[in-house]
Amino acid sequence: MTSLKGFQTDSEVKGTRIIKVDPLRPEVKLIRVAANIVKKGGTVAFPTETVYGLGADALNPQAVMKIFDAKERPPDNPIIVHISRKEEVTHLGIDVPERVNQLAEKFWPGPLTVVLKASNTVPRVTTGGLDTVAIRMPRHRVALALIEASEVPIAAPSANLAGKPSPTTAEHVIEDLAGRIDLIIDAGSTDVGVESTVIDMTRNPPVVLRPGGVTSEELRKVLGRIRLHPSILARKEMRITHAPSPGMKYRHYAPKAEVVLVDGKPDAVVKKIQETADEFKRGGKSVGILTFDENKSEYNQAVVKSLGSRSDLKVAARRVFSLLREFDRDGVDVIIAEGAPEKGLGLAVMNRLRKASGYRIVEA
Ligand code: TXA
Ligand code: MG
């Protein structure tokens, strides 16, 4: 245990330093410690309102390379650049459509990422070789304070090993990245729980590439017509040859356990899940069930976890990644998940569950 002068907030796991920071009033001294690491080209995991990010100086190619290495992320998967002031969009992007200002006005700081044509300021390592850049202004106070103190935009993907569920607590980050990065800022659980919505503003109408914390319904109110990329609703894995969002090609959000998603009318789903669970058990597998409060008492498996009420999908979004990781800690072989209603945040939750299942989807 080491300790910063005057702070009992410092610990270390496998050489990665961990500091506890107040989520609402981030301690200036502690933020400065983290910012100095970013300035020197190091890597810092920090909370945003969506999930924890793994940050480095977005304008320093060597620093950004460290993110790819730590996560084992394929080098063609671009990284979101985080800013603390809306004006920075004009340095990082070019030909910025007026509608981006309307989005920024309405949703920033917050869980929305816009894809724009990239200026020469942004290294191509950060954009995964693309000539576009994804930009977002997060609203978590720790994230904003860190970007501000670092005096550079911060490139940050979710702070998990590539392919694993995104981290919503510092413990999740430690699990995946301790020993691989310089520092973790622990400021408790994140609020939204699923990542930001990614919208491609170089297209007309704009195309949602990833559903997330800002819902499509909210986006339509500002933009009028938008398109959802077909992969968002796809029930089968799409062969993506020319992915507009390279992240789409890769396996995602997968816990160690196998995930099977059962979708359909709520009462038919219960029956189907029970049958599917029995089948796995006959094959000698231990089964966990991911359901909603409304159906929780219907299942007699040992491990049953709830995403909250079907009528409050905010809770489902907040819990989904964390529960997937919990099943792994419980040691189940198979997770059978109930489909969520695809309204509001439910679209993002279902998108994550479909991907976590590797598109093993049973229709009830
Ligand atoms: O909420 C979030 O967005 C979190 C927090 C840390 O801000 N970050 C996050 O980053 O989820 P990541 O790297 O896990 O996901 C970013 C997604 C990927 O699917 C990536 O392919 C896509 O955004 N993306 C990034 N830059 C892009 C670009 N220029 N064009 C199209 N898609 C892009
Ligand atoms: Mg990610």
Side-chain angles (χ1 to χ4, degrees), residues 21-26 31 46-49 109 138-148 187:
V21 168
D22 186 326
L24 297 178
R25 262 182 253 112
I31 293 297
F46 63 98
T48 78
E49 73 279 19
R139 74 164 172 246
H140 197 294
R141 290 188 190 173
V142 171
L144 288 171
L146 176 64
I147 302 163
E148 195 68 21

Side-chain angles (χ1 to χ4, degrees), residues 2-63:
T2 49
S3 170
L4 269 170
K5 240 201 195 133
F7 291 93
Q8 298 304 317
T9 48
D10 223 24
S11 64
E12 209 181 280
V13 177
K14 298 188 202 159
T16 295
R17 200 166 158 195
I18 299 155
I19 54 177
K20 276 202 198 300
V21 168
D22 186 326
L24 297 178
R25 262 182 253 112
E27 296 81 349
V28 177
K29 274 192 191 167
L30 297 177
I31 293 297
R32 208 172 288 146
V33 170
N36 280 333
I37 295 176
V38 172
K39 284 183 181 175
K40 287 193 188 125
T43 46
V44 174
F46 63 98
T48 78
E49 73 279 19
T50 58
V51 301
Y52 273 73
L54 175 57
D57 177 351
L59 306 183
N60 175 343
Q62 278 81 37

Side-chain angles (χ1 to χ4, degrees), residues 195-250:
E195 304 92 331
S196 62
T197 302
V198 179
I199 187 163
D200 185 348
M201 294 303 293
T202 69
R203 311 260 150 185
N204 204 357
V207 181
V208 175
L209 301 176
R210 178 177 72 183
V214 170
T215 64
S216 308
E217 293 88 336
E218 290 173 294
L219 285 171
R220 283 201 183 92
K221 279 193 203 144
V222 177
L223 295 175
R225 209 156 83 84
I226 55 171
R227 249 170 29 86
L228 298 187
H229 190 274
S231 72
I232 293 173
L233 296 167
R235 266 144 221 282
K236 287 196 204 122
E237 188 154 19
M238 285 183 43
R239 279 275 148 255
I240 293 170
T241 43
H242 183 77
S245 195
M248 287 173 178
K249 301 191 292 222
Y250 299 108

Side-chain angles (χ1 to χ4, degrees), residues 160 165 172 175-176 321-329:
N160 51 278
H172 299 158
E175 214 168 86
D176 280 17
F321 286 133
S322 179
L323 291 183
L324 289 175
R325 281 180 185 257
E326 267 186 33
F327 281 112
D328 277 348
R329 248 171 281 140

Side-chain angles (χ1 to χ4, degrees), residues 71 73 157-158 160 164 166 195 210 252-253:
K71 279 186 58 104
R73 183 181 179 96
S158 50
N160 51 278
K164 292 283 159 208
S166 297
E195 304 92 331
R210 178 177 72 183
H252 262 311
Y253 313 122

